[in-house]
Structures are given as structure tokens and as C-alpha cells.
């Protein structure tokens, strides 16, 4: 991909983060700025924060890539697990284009983080089945077969112990129930065993905020599959969103 600088934005339930990315190397060309996600996390107020972030980074480019915490189909949010329900059916690309004055391309946030890992991080060149699980307010997932993404897998929403997995094993669950890293690690291991059972992956990568604390829960993980923290950690979402926008806008130009 030719040297291109694109703003990547990672929309999360608690923070909206962005940086200008060199999409041929995956490097950050600016600091990574983080603004609070408004509460309630409604479309119009979030669109304003994305515009504020764009301005604060003095972004002059035409395209913005956005990683969004829901199923994203044709630029629209189809679910709203950790954001306001009024997002369901909202055209993320049209709304953020209006507030920023740029062309916006949106992708699921975990898929964005996965793209960063596979193109610029520890997932590069991995053959077979790779799954990335992001641990944050929710549990996000990205599934790759020989480097190709199967989008919107939502493995954070499989059922476990009579509830949705992310209610049992996300960072929010750890904080809400005041679990130690060890106790939470036991739960997270159970979750990963389910992922292993249904996918037989060749590699599991962990991303999101909690992956920075990998050393605190690593000893609780007992799987056949190799598990590694995704070294791009919290920056992966913004890097992958920018990369996605670069690839997608090129595809759109061709068609
Ligand atoms: C959402 C996913 C998202 C994940 C991480 C889940 O609640 O359903 O779409 O990827 O949280 O933000």
C-alpha cells in the first residue's frame, strides 16, 4: 500500500481514541488522543466527540477509519451492547461524515484491532485460524483464516453459565464483581476454553486494555492453543481502523 496518512478512530464504550496512522507501516504519526465517550453514548453526542478529536489532531486528510463497538454492516451499527440502543440501525459513516466533513469508513472495533495485528503485529504471516479477543467493557472478537478476516463474529456473545460471555468475563465483569486478577483469570480461561472448543484455533491473541496486564493472569490460562498478548495493545484499534479505511476506499474507487 502506498504511503498514506489516515486518521484512525477507535470508538469505545468509555473512551474515543484516535491517532493519524501511516497505513503502509502501521506507525502512529501523532500521539494517541483519548476523549471521554459521552454518557449516555448516543449518536449525536458521540459524533461531536469524533469531530472534536479530528480537530484536536489537526487532521487535514480526507478519509477517517472508525472502529465501532457493534456489528457493522454496510457502515451501519446493527447492535448496541455497551452503547445507547438508539445506535441500532444508525448509519455510522453518514453521521460521522456529517460531523467531521470527511469520508468515514466504519468497521467493528475488534475486527479493526485484528487487522492491525495481522498486518503489522504478532499476527503477521500466521497461517491457519487466528482469533483475537479484545478485553474491555465488552469482549470483542476477530477471526482470521490465513490472514483473511471473517467480520462481525461476536464471540463475546456466546452463552456461558446462563449468561452472555462478556457479562461473565469482560473487564467490566471483573470490576463490577471486584474480582482479583487470579479469580478473573480463572473465568477468562473458561471462556477461552469455549473459544478453543468451537474454533480449534492455531493462535489466540489478546487485545484491549486488560491485555496490558497479561502477566497478572497468564498463569491462570491452561489451553492447548498458544495465547499471546497482541503487542500493539490499545493502539491496535486506531491502527486497524485507518488500515481498513485505506483498503476499503481503494476498493470503492475500483468498483
Ligand atoms: C460488542 C462487539 C464489540 C465488543 C468490544 C461487544 O459488546 O457486541 O461488537 O466488538 O463489545 O467492544
Amino acid at each position: 500500500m502506498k504511503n498514506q496518512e489516515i486518521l484512525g478512530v477507535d470508538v469505545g464504550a468509555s473512551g474515543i481514541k484516535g491517532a493519524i496512522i501511516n497505513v503502509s507501516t502501521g506507525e502512529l504519526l501523532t500521539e494517541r488522543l483519548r476523549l471521554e465517550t459521552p454518557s449516555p453514548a448516543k449518536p449525536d453526542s458521540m459524533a461531536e466527540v469524533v469531530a472534536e478529536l479530528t480537530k484536536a489532531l489537526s487532521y487535514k486528510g480526507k478519509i477517517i477509519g472508525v472502529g465501532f463497538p457493534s456489528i457493522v454492516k454496510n457502515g451501519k451499527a446493527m447492535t448496541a451492547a455497551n452503547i445507547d440502543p438508539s445506535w441500532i440501525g444508525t448509519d455510522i459513516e453518514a453521521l460521522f461524515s456529517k460531523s467531521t466533513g470527511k469520508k468515514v469508513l466504519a468497521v467493528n472495533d475488534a475486527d479493526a484491532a485484528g487487522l492491525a495485528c495481522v498486518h503489522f503485529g504478532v499476527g503477521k504471516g500466521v497461517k491457519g485460524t487466528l482469533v483475537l479477543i479484545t478485553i474491555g467493557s465488552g469482549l470483542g472478537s476477530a477471526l482470521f483464516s490465513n490472514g483473511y478476516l471473517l467480520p462481525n463474529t461476536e464471540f463475546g456473545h456466546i452463552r456461558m453459565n446462563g449468561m452472555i460471555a462478556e457479562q461473565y468475563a469482560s473487564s467490566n465483569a471483573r470490576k463490577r464483581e471486584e474480582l482479583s486478577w487470579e479469580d478473573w483469570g480463572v473465568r477468562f480461561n473458561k471462556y477461552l476454553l469455549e473459544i478453543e472448543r468451537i474454533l480449534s484455533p492455531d493462535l489466540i491473541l489478546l487485545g484491549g486494555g486488560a491485555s496490558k496486564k497479561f502477566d497478572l493472569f497468564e498463569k491462570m490460562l491452561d489451553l492447548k492453543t498458544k495465547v499471546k498478548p497482541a503487542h500493539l495493545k490499545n493502539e491496535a484499534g486506531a491502527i486497524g481502523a485507518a488500515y481498513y479505511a485505506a483498503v476499503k476506499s481503494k476498493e470503492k474507487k475500483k468498483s
Side-chain angles (χ1 to χ4, degrees):
M1 192 176 305
K2 97 172 190 304
N3 231 357
Q4 215 184 343
E5 299 178 4
I6 292 187
L7 171 59
V9 177
D10 182 14
V11 176
S14 62
I16 299 182
K17 296 135 291 189
I20 301 175
I21 311 294
N22 176 334
V23 290
S24 46
T25 61
E27 278 165 325
L28 269 71
L29 300 170
T30 61
E31 60 170 329
R32 172 180 166 277
L33 261 188
R34 181 186 188 278
L35 298 176
E36 286 296 309
T37 301
S39 178
K42 290 198 184 218
D44 285 343
S45 49
M46 284 169 78
E48 271 170 38
V49 176
V50 174
E52 211 181 301
L53 194 78
T54 309
K55 259 201 201 133
L57 287 166
S58 310
Y59 182 55
K60 302 282 180 291
K62 293 194 177 113
I63 302 169
I64 300 178
V66 170
F68 199 80
S70 74
I71 293 177
V72 180
K73 280 278 200 191
N74 302 317
K76 285 190 183 155
M78 308 306 286
T79 53
N82 292 302
I83 46 175
D84 193 80
S86 58
W87 269 106
I88 298 174
T90 300
D91 190 328
I92 309 161
E93 294 180 350
L95 183 73
F96 289 177
S97 275
K98 206 169 152 216
S99 73
T100 60
K102 314 276 184 190
K103 182 179 174 60
V104 173
L105 292 147
V107 60
N108 168 266
D109 57 350
D111 286 342
L115 286 169
C117 294
V118 162
H119 292 279
F120 307 113
V122 276
K124 198 168 177 180
V126 172
K127 294 268 175 283
T129 304
L130 181 156
V131 58
L132 166 79
I133 302 295
T134 62
I135 316 156
S137 306
L139 288 178
S141 63
L143 181 64
F144 292 83
S145 173
N146 293 325
Y148 285 94
L149 172 70
L150 177 72
N152 293 311
T153 43
E154 294 289 327
F155 293 131
H157 286 246
I158 59 172
R159 293 228 156 231
M160 278 186 74
N161 291 10
M163 59 180 120
I164 291 168
E166 71 178 13
Q167 292 169 351
Y168 176 71
S170 63
S171 289
N172 272 11
R174 182 180 57 77
K175 290 176 195 159
R176 189 181 57 238
E177 297 183 42
E178 297 177 4
L179 300 173
S180 65
W181 281 101
E182 282 76 15
D183 288 346
W184 175 82
V186 170
R187 282 192 183 195
F188 190 65
N189 185 55
K190 279 192 198 156
Y191 170 67
L192 289 186
L193 283 169
E194 281 300 294
I195 292 293
E196 184 173 63
R197 188 178 64 80
I198 57 177
L199 295 173
S200 303
D202 296 289
L203 177 64
I204 297 176
L205 294 180
L206 303 181
S211 65
K212 284 192 273 187
K213 307 280 184 189
F214 187 64
D215 51 329
L216 298 181
F217 64 88
E218 184 183 8
K219 55 182 178 299
M220 314 316 287
L221 303 184
D222 185 16
L223 294 112
K224 285 191 214 92
T225 315
K226 190 155 185 50
V227 182
K228 283 190 197 170
H231 290 292
L232 296 167
K233 294 181 178 140
N234 251 352
E235 286 163 359
I239 298 171
Y243 178 83
Y244 172 82
V247 173
K248 206 65 192 176
S249 62
K250 224 178 177 185
E251 277 174 21
K252 283 195 175 171
K253 258 188 215 155
K254 273 191 198 155
S255 64

